[in-house]
Amino acid sequence: MTIAAETTTTAFESAWSAWHHAHEADRASAHGFLAITALHWLTAEPTAYDGLPGRWWSSEDGPVVELGDGETLLVDGDTVTGRVAFGAIPERGGRIAAFGDVVIEIAKRGGSDLLRPRHPGHPTRSGYRGTPTYAPDGAWEIEGRFVPFDQPVEVTVGSVAEGLQHVYAAPGEVEFSRDGGVHRLTAFNGHTPGSLFVLFTDETSGVTTYPANRSLAVAAPGYDGSVVLDFNRAVNLPCAYTDFATCPLPPAGNRLPFAVEAGEKIPHERSAR
């Protein structure tokens, strides 16, 4: 190997390590999903939940809590008492309320309102040992192409939560070649304008990687539709760590017929069960 090649390899591995360190730090943050202690689906009946102030229910106008005497919550920087209406929450949206060092995620998934308390001292977070990964390998950084649909297509996918479904607007597919074949994955809109993400499984799923899904972020396509699929950055979704998740399953057809030996593996938390 030449000195130039060694430098390139080191730069690639260093970039991956920096990204992975930041991703792990975010995952293990004080109120990240490792800190979730419960999942409560709200109904029209006011209900008290262990460890949470007030009684909670879902109304036509969104989630509501009725706080008792002496009970308070911190919402948008303000201390609130009595009845608090959070307003209609969009699908996959959410609000945050806090008391002490606990925050309550108030969200909507699959058309229903829910609560997820997040406590920094939860054992899943405090005992987190990091996620095992495959060693970064430049061979898994694959050039591809974004193939847009004529119009975005609504795609319904299942969920790890029984009976729940998610609906995403898919702008198109990403296409790439591997092992002599051409493969396409349905893509959804990412967190930043123009970016994408794909949910997928492959021949490692349930063997060395989490069986339900992995997710891969894809930067916005170039002017010619070019994209880069860096499977070294394929990550687990929250359901790989906690049973209090509502993660989506990959769309039909997003199972790759080969082993993607790159990215994150089955977490220690699941391997020990």
Side-chain angles (χ1 to χ4, degrees), residues 109-195:
R109 299 293 185 270
S112 297
D113 295 322
L114 61 83
L115 304 179
R116 282 191 289 207
R118 299 180 180 224
H119 196 298
H122 186 52
T124 301
R125 176 180 180 269
S126 62
Y128 182 58
R129 294 181 286 162
T131 296
T133 70
Y134 286 98
D137 181 351
W140 283 106
E141 190 178 52
I142 301 173
E143 293 183 355
R145 184 171 67 99
F146 175 62
V147 182
F149 298 138
D150 292 337
Q151 296 290 335
V153 175
E154 285 197 347
V155 177
T156 300
V157 298
S159 167
V160 295
E162 186 176 355
L164 189 67
Q165 291 185 322
H166 297 278
V167 180
Y168 291 88
E173 299 175 314
V174 290
E175 177 184 273
F176 66 98
S177 298
R178 179 77 183 182
D179 297 339
V182 176
H183 310 281
R184 285 190 172 190
L185 296 170
T186 298
F188 299 135
N189 293 312
H191 292 296
T192 57
S195 69

